[in-house]
Amino acid sequence: MKFIVTSSELQKALTKISGVVPSKSTLPILENILFDLTKNTLKLSATDLEVSMSATIEVKGAEDGKIAVPAKRLMETIRALPDIQLVFHADLSANRIKMITETGEYVLMGEASDEFPTIPQFKAEEKLSLSGDLLRRMINRMIFAVSTDELRPAMTGMLLQVRETELRAVVTDGHRLVRINYTGIGKMKLKKDIIVPAKAMSLVSRSAEEGENTMAVDTTHVQFTFGNTTLTSRVIEEAYPNYEAVIPLDNDKKLTVSRDLLLAAVRRVALYSSSTTHQIRCTLKKNELRVSAEDMDFGGEAKEKVVCDYSAEDMEIGFNSTYLIDILSHIDSDEVEFRLSSAVRAAIVTPAKQKPNEDLLMLVMPMRLNV
Amino acid sequence: MGWDRVIGQERVKELLRRTIAGRKIAHAFLFTGGEGVGKEAMAIEFARVLTCAAQGSDACGSCASCRKADVLQHPNIRLIVPLPVGKAEKAGDDPLKGLTEDQITAVQEQFAQKAQNPYHRITIPKANFIKVNSIRDIRREAALSVVEGGKRVFIVPPADAMNAEASNSLLKTLEEPPSDSVFVLVTSQKEQLLQTILSRCQQVQFDPLGEEDIRRALVERYSVEGDQASLIARLANGSFTAALELLSSDLRAERQGVVQFLRIVLSGQRVALASAIENIIKGGDRVATTRWLRMLHVWLRDALVLREHGEDGVLNVDHSTDLKSFVAKFPRADLVAAMESVERSIALVDKNVYLPLVLTGLAIDLRRSLSST
């Protein structure tokens, strides 16, 4: 196997996919990057068995072949090289790799390509194109609420529901839930639900490129394509909890408040909340929201008043301040709207003004207040 | 062909082969039986057949899947072994996350050795039990779709190394078995497992290996000389792993130690006896002590054979001078009683009795039975 490539181009492609190479694994083969050359196209692949990424670059090919190259050493070498031409030569029978530059020669030992896990064969059942901006926005605003409880594996991923005219994304950890519905992304022929592991989604948000990206699904995998890079992930084969049942539709007490003001107030008051429960108390009166907390153990307490728009009857509701801070900091609108019903029922938080083609909803469970 | 990598155990092979042929594969198996009789080797072979692309009741040995399984690099075959607790490891972390570079290398090396020799006993420094995070990792993995098609096999050797937390976590998984997954729990101490886990596994009992099987395997695979192979096969007591350990240990020196011990016992030097015992137990290594006792057993047996039958059938052939002088000096030694006390001592070591006490007791018994006139 032999080809010529510039070091900067190789580095660019390697950087894109090296994120999936596991640093610690019982399978040493995973610490390699698979080089696969056909004519002038070099395909680089890496996998941690859950997520696989590959990137293609154009090179000047001389001799086709496949070999697994140790990722760490390769990356270090390429990074240390100036931007020059590089002759990559691999002796496939001995798994010996030689990289020759104008002045230097680097030899490293690779692994046979057939030991490398098969990169999943993918047969798309449905394909939709999404802008990189949308993907990034979607993931970054939801990923915080993904559960880490492996006893309920379904919730450790992001549910993507492909519907006729919309795409719905949902995450929840049982205490809070985020749902975003997107419309205006074309017409889909399939109705399909998949659960993508959180790890894959954060990689997608990191790799998504400007412009059009595509997402394709089949029964066992989901594949994202960004330019010449693809990311394929296994999906979680579990039933997602029926999230729609927990979203209350009849919350009639509406509270509109400035996001920044409330977030800052909650952050300050939360410093005085109990370190085990993180509980804060929200007291609602006409056009006034009081946020308060007290720490029984250390005897501290804090109160803040926030101006708001509220006209329903007075009420008190407790929240976990961490959850509230998470939610408020992931809504990007000046004003947020709370819809409440009673002190023991879920609260719905939405931006006061939704972005076009987007419907964002966050839900947070209250904490029961004593007294 | 493939099953040949496992020594003996024809009954179990046939059973598993039939299970596979009938495509009625339970979601969890429990392989039980003595140490080193090939439970793990069988589990790996079983996994290889289950993941083989040819889907037969034997692994084809030539598909990509088989080749990966051969070197234990198959993504669908997972070995869940005891691992050291990582630095600042929290519940839910990747079990390998907190380990140092050196520890990871040690783990990988052990796996590579296991791939080369399925009878290798995986020992990782500071790894005392199977962590609950390893079991959680199974759950995470099992929830995902299967990578390369076929079955996914989780091998848990030794299952008795799971701590309470890990056992309970595994139990949850066994209660709701993930699709396309097969668990193979391996243990030589079934009593240590939770009743509730036992009841959820199909149990497969392994027998101790025959001496002939071990002898042949030693000769064929490790080109050991016939005489030595017979001796080791006898000492190994039905365990191929023990046989391999014997092969790599300095047998001659250890057997010399046996003779030395008997001399001290019979001469009644108490101080020398104390230091000899100290030497044998090597700081409380029960496995080594058992092996040493077994050597003593074989030596006594040889003495008996020599006295009753003559030199034919003596295993410690290179010790025939010592044996002969022993028989000549103590013609009326009650060798059968002596062997019985050795057996009793082996049982006591197994039961975790304080080692110096066992050996001192043994020395007294031996002195009584051997020097009986």
Side-chain angles (χ1 to χ4, degrees), chain A residues 23-31 48-50 72 114-120 148 150-154 156 197 219-221 233-238, chain B residues 64 67-68 71-76 78 92 94 96-101 104 107-108 111 136 139-148 152 169 172 179:
Chain A
S23 56
K24 286 168 181 172
S25 165
T26 49
L27 299 181
I29 187 74
L30 300 183
E31 290 162 17
D48 69 352
L49 296 180
E50 186 178 316
K72 196 166 165 232
D114 57 355
E115 269 186 38
F116 200 82
T118 328
I119 300 295
T148 50
E150 77 294 332
L151 287 179
R152 299 167 80 180
T156 60
T219 38
T220 52
H221 289 86
S233 170
R234 295 159 70 188
V235 297
I236 300 176
E237 286 185 319
E238 296 267 330
Chain B
R67 276 201 304 276
K68 280 180 207 156
V71 285
L72 279 186
Q73 297 271 317
H74 198 290
N76 288 348
R78 301 261 172 134
D94 186 306
L96 294 173
K97 191 178 152 199
L99 304 193
T100 61
E101 201 79 10
I104 297 280
V107 172
Q108 289 180 351
F111 273 67
R136 292 207 169 115
R139 299 186 61 95
R140 245 191 311 265
E141 163 66 28
L144 294 169
S145 46
V146 185
V147 206
E148 296 188 4
R152 208 170 7 201
S169 181
K172 279 240 164 64
S179 58

Side-chain angles (χ1 to χ4, degrees), chain A residues 144 176 323-331 349 362-364:
Chain A
F144 74 94
R176 54 241 166 112
Y323 294 166
L324 206 54
I325 292 171
D326 272 346
I327 282 190
L328 289 172
S329 47
H330 286 91
I331 295 186
V349 190
M362 301 207 182
L363 176 148
V364 58

